[in-house]
Amino acid sequence: MADARRLFPDFDVTRSWLLDAVPALSDEDLEAYLRRLGFSETQLAYTQRGFAGAAGEAMRNLSAQASLDEMHDNSAGEGDYRILDGYDALLRPLASGIDLRLNTAVERVAWREHHVTVTTAGGEVFAADQVVITLPLGVLKASVVQFEPELPAAKRAAIERLGVAPVLKLIYRFAEPILPDGVMALYSALNPCMWWSPSFGQPSGDYVLTAFVTADRARELLALGEAGALAKGIETLQIELDRRDLQPLEARMVNWVEDAYSRGGYSFTPPGAIEAHDALAQPLADTLFWAGEATAGHVWKATVHGAYASGLRAAHQLLSVLAEKETRQV
Ligand SMILES: Cc1cc2nc3c(=O)[nH]c(=O)nc-3n(C[C@H](O)[C@H](O)[C@H](O)COP(=O)(O)OP(=O)(O)OC[C@H]3O[C@@H](n4cnc5c(N)ncnc54)[C@H](O)[C@@H]3O)c2cc1C
């Protein structure tokens, strides 16, 4: 490792995250900050493919301060975990015993203090004293759900200030494993740059390889259309694996940008927008409560644990309002 660092100075800073103790300015973007620290073009490209790629946006659009806080945060525990049975396994116990309506799109939320009526696309109307709103940030930005009266300016401003990352996946099924034995992931300087096999560790005859694509690389692929994007992905694999004849049995693109019920992958924090996460989470008139990843704060946003924690926080906020009401009535 020491030799590698000595021979390749680029490797040193990017791999070890030995960022100098230089605080970021409150409205500084990540690229400007890293340039200020002396990152080379190679290091910037590496950071874009790694950290910023996972954050979902180009470094020029990410808050440097939020990025540093996120890098140094271990409050959700160390490391990442994969749920081998899929995320359904996490949701099933949470949904058990709840009157959960699937395929029921909300179109209108009419509200006044301690009274809400929610109207769905199918014309059903639900009335309640309070609601918890977990609409994705992209859906809130698109204003496809009508709030009556309109949301106050501070809430709208928070929705506008935060960003939604362009995120897509290219998924390929092959006749046999195409990565070497014991290798789960592949990182490339080409587009897509981040690949892994969900088949890894699974007792299945299928061999699936997934590319996770965000930011400018996602914009580039989206401009090619689904067939063009899938072809570009295969071209990258053919080059990286030096197998010019490589072809999948089947392939598909999952595009969160055009999914009407997400309108983007997940939230990111633009420069100067750290406080907007908390502003989005603020309850309105003890009646509209807000949960979902974008309300989980700038460090836990864009994650499953953030979404989960935000739901617990909103439930506690709502229950404390109900408890106060009960106390007043006694
Ligand atoms: C490709 C990808 C990879 C990811 N990888 C990871 C990862 O490895 N680790 C991690 O921690 N996080 C990851 N995330 C982020 C994580 O999935 C999200 O942060 C989390 O799912 C957000 O949960 P949520 O409840 O806030 O929003 P969602 O899960 O988006 O739930 C919002 C719900 O609202 C519904 N909805 C939308 N509009 C309406 C409407 N008008 N009426 C009624 N319902 C509506 C939607 O259908 C959806 O069910 C990833 C996200 C993507 C896109």
Side-chain angles (χ1 to χ4, degrees):
M1 187 66 102
D3 282 350
R5 286 190 172 141
R6 192 168 40 75
L7 288 170
F8 303 105
D10 279 336
F11 178 73
D12 190 6
V13 187
T14 49
R15 289 311 299 264
S16 54
W17 285 114
L18 288 176
L19 299 178
D20 294 338
V22 177
L25 309 175
S26 63
D27 59 352
E28 195 170 24
D29 69 69
L30 183 59
E31 182 176 335
Y33 170 77
L34 294 178
R35 284 190 190 281
R36 194 153 66 82
L37 285 188
F39 267 49
S40 69
E41 293 302 324
T42 312
Q43 290 169 333
L44 290 171
Y46 183 92
T47 313
Q48 180 61 55
R49 292 199 298 274
F51 174 83
E57 247 303 354
M59 290 188 294
R60 64 180 180 280
N61 295 328
L62 296 177
S63 155
Q65 212 170 59
S67 303
L68 291 182
D69 289 348
E70 213 177 312
M71 283 172 207
H72 296 133
D73 177 70
N74 279 328
S75 58
E78 300 255 3
D80 295 318
Y81 297 89
R82 182 173 159 216
I83 301 166
L84 281 179
D85 294 336
Y87 265 114
D88 278 6
L90 194 75
L91 291 174
R92 236 175 278 122
L94 291 176
S96 134
I98 289 177
D99 177 12
L100 183 66
R101 312 282 173 101
L102 298 175
N103 302 309
T104 308
V106 171
E107 283 191 341
R108 181 168 169 264
V109 178
W111 62 286
R112 58 184 151 79
E113 197 173 348
H114 298 168
H115 188 75
V116 190
T117 51
V118 170
T119 309
T120 70
E124 288 169 293
V125 178
F126 298 89
D129 295 342
Q130 275 90 12
V131 295
V132 178
I133 295 169
T134 67
L135 292 170
L137 180 62
V139 172
L140 289 171
K141 272 182 178 293
S143 293
V144 282
V145 176
Q146 298 302 320
F147 286 88
E148 289 175 17
E150 279 293 337
L151 295 173
K155 187 66 75 183
R156 275 280 21 128
I159 291 167
E160 297 314 323
R161 284 297 290 126
L162 294 172
V164 180
V167 176
L168 59 94
K169 274 184 182 174
L170 304 180
I171 303 171
Y172 302 90
R173 187 165 71 82
F174 294 94
E176 78 279 313
I178 60 162
L179 294 183
D181 250 7
V183 174
M184 186 182 103
L186 172 88
Y187 292 90
S188 168
L190 304 172
N191 190 8
C193 59
M194 200 186 287
W195 295 83
W196 80 95
S197 173
S199 307
F200 190 84
Q202 294 279 27
S204 157
D206 285 336
Y207 187 80
V208 175
L209 205 62
T210 300
F212 175 74
V213 197
T214 65
D216 291 342
R217 281 182 166 79
R219 293 184 185 99
E220 185 193 324
L221 293 185
L222 287 173
L224 302 176
E226 179 166 1
L230 289 167
K232 174 91 177 134
I234 280 296
E235 188 188 310
T236 293
L237 279 183
Q238 289 173 343
I239 294 169
E240 287 294 351
L241 301 172
D242 198 17
R243 286 184 57 179
R244 299 304 163 130
D245 60 339
L246 185 70
Q247 285 300 333
L249 296 174
E250 59 178 319
R252 68 176 285 225
M253 176 166 89
V254 184
N255 177 0
W256 277 272
V257 179
E258 278 168 22
D259 182 323
Y261 297 107
S262 62
R263 296 176 188 255
Y266 38 78
S267 69
F268 67 88
T269 316
I274 283 184
E275 291 79 18
H277 291 283
D278 287 344
L280 183 62
Q282 282 304 312
L284 290 177
D286 285 346
T287 303
L288 302 187
F289 294 82
W290 301 79
E293 58 83 17
T295 71
H298 69 284
V299 172
W300 277 23
K301 60 162 192 268
T303 62
V304 170
H305 56 270
Y308 179 73
S310 77
L312 292 180
R313 187 252 310 135
H316 282 128
Q317 287 172 323
L318 197 159
L319 289 173
S320 75
V321 166
L322 296 185
E324 248 177 61
K325 204 168 142 191
E326 253 174 46
T327 315
R328 276 201 305 269
Q329 281 166 356
V330 172

